[in-house]
Amino acid sequence: MLNPKQVKKFKDSYPDLPKNDWVDAFVIADHLRFGRIGKDAYMDDYRYKSPQTLARAKFDVVQNLTREKQHFANYLFLKCSGMAQDKDIANSSATTIALMERFETVDELAYADLDELTRFIDETGRNFADPAAKAKAIQAAARNSYRLPVTVNNSVNQAMAVSIATMSALEKQIKVLEKAIEQQFQIIPNTLTSIPGIGKVYSAGINAEIGDVHRFNSQTSVAKYAGLVWTQHQSGDFEAQHTKLMKSGNRYLRYYLLEAANSVRRCDSEFRRCYDLKFKEVNQFQHKRALALTARKLVRLVYRLLMDNRLYIPPES
């Protein structure tokens, strides 16, 4: 069995060949003659198929939700550019969505009664230490926004309403899928939930994609399978310090490992130190780089726990 992506990349070395069945067979045979074919790890244990299907469905819904939030942020910029550009105001938070539903125009928001606006923000947000200050910041942002013509503003409101309804529906789908994943989680014995910050959903997603861990020779193979490896850029005496993350692996496994690492680093002192150390090493892409390296560290722990079938013992803080 061959990885079709490798065959496709190999065919790129024959730029003049057309695409037909005979040429495809020739390219595959030529690829085999080179003999440089990596052995892929295949999973034939169907115990993992059900949670894998649900976990991948959740991944797709989350991606759709992320795209819809970006659409809403674009509409927010049109309707209230000041709020969209304010770094202290979350573009797709519950408070921002509620404000856009409550106020038809920017002027209504900018010149609303401050006490009423404060109460409204306190009720919809429920986690602001100083809702009055937040209300003042929102009104200041609204007053600094440019105004749209009435017809354009109405169109943006309609598009916003559709986007809000879509986000609400997607969030409900995620909850349904997470509940189903937790039910299917019972058929997969594992010890990953002993890691602080990894619940049943993340554990099921990781286990479903890894399958039988014994099909991997080492934790390095698992990391490569997930695409958590980095390329090398070297020529002569030059060795690049910044290299790209290879994302040619299993994107579902990479997603659940990254999400789990982001959760674990908040709950475990060892992973928190690792994240903070990597975060401070560079000035660009700090969070993404630190999170990827923390996930790479998590791979080693996940592999060992699954191989030995033992519980995780957190280090002393």
Side-chain angles (χ1 to χ4, degrees), residues 196-199 202 257-268 291:
I198 296 185
Y202 290 158
L257 284 171
L258 288 170
E259 290 295 315
N262 196 33
S263 180
V264 171
R265 59 108 176 172
R266 299 191 184 101
C267 304
D268 185 84
L291 188 60

Side-chain angles (χ1 to χ4, degrees), residues 60-209:
D60 293 331
V61 176
V62 169
Q63 298 302 306
N64 291 335
L65 179 59
T66 302
R67 283 191 290 269
E68 196 59 45
K69 286 183 177 181
Q70 184 58 53
H71 294 160
F72 178 81
N74 294 337
Y75 299 138
L76 178 64
F77 180 80
L78 291 174
K79 181 176 180 178
C80 189
S81 58
M83 286 183 61
Q85 292 174 311
D86 193 326
K87 295 181 179 179
D88 295 328
I89 301 176
N91 285 349
S92 58
S93 67
T95 302
T96 302
I97 292 174
L99 287 171
M100 293 301 102
E101 290 181 310
R102 172 74 178 274
F103 298 97
E104 293 291 330
T105 65
V106 176
D107 287 331
E108 290 182 12
L109 175 59
Y111 301 104
D113 183 77
L114 185 59
D115 293 334
E116 292 182 4
L117 181 60
T118 301
R119 285 194 296 270
F120 181 78
I121 290 175
D122 191 33
E123 292 173 0
T124 57
R126 298 180 182 177
N127 59 350
F128 293 116
D130 190 353
K134 179 60 68 173
K136 291 180 181 179
I138 289 174
Q139 280 200 327
R143 289 170 182 168
N144 291 330
S145 302
Y146 64 84
R147 273 54 175 171
L148 292 173
V150 176
T151 54
V152 178
N153 185 77
N154 293 338
S155 299
V156 171
N157 284 335
Q158 291 175 348
M160 264 190 168
V162 173
S163 182
I164 291 171
T166 302
M167 288 190 291
S168 178
L170 291 172
E171 288 171 351
K172 291 179 181 178
Q173 292 177 17
I174 291 174
K175 292 180 180 179
V176 171
L177 288 170
E178 286 181 345
K179 186 176 180 180
I181 291 171
E182 290 180 359
Q183 293 175 350
Q184 291 294 328
F185 175 79
Q186 306 299 330
I187 66 176
I188 304 179
N190 71 88
T191 58
L192 298 186
T193 51
S194 62
I195 304 175
I198 296 185
K200 293 182 179 179
V201 174
Y202 290 158
S203 179
I206 294 172
N207 273 276
E209 296 301 334

Side-chain angles (χ1 to χ4, degrees), residues 18-33:
K19 173 69 174 71
N20 57 55
D21 292 340
W22 188 91
V23 170
D24 290 344
F26 166 78
V27 171
I28 292 173
D30 218 25
H31 185 37
L32 287 168
R33 279 193 290 269

Side-chain angles (χ1 to χ4, degrees), residues 200-223:
K200 293 182 179 179
V201 174
Y202 290 158
S203 179
I206 294 172
N207 273 276
E209 296 301 334
I210 292 179
D212 185 2
V213 71
H214 294 90
R215 66 196 181 110
F216 295 99
N217 297 326
S218 64
Q219 53 87 16
T220 304
S221 300
V222 178

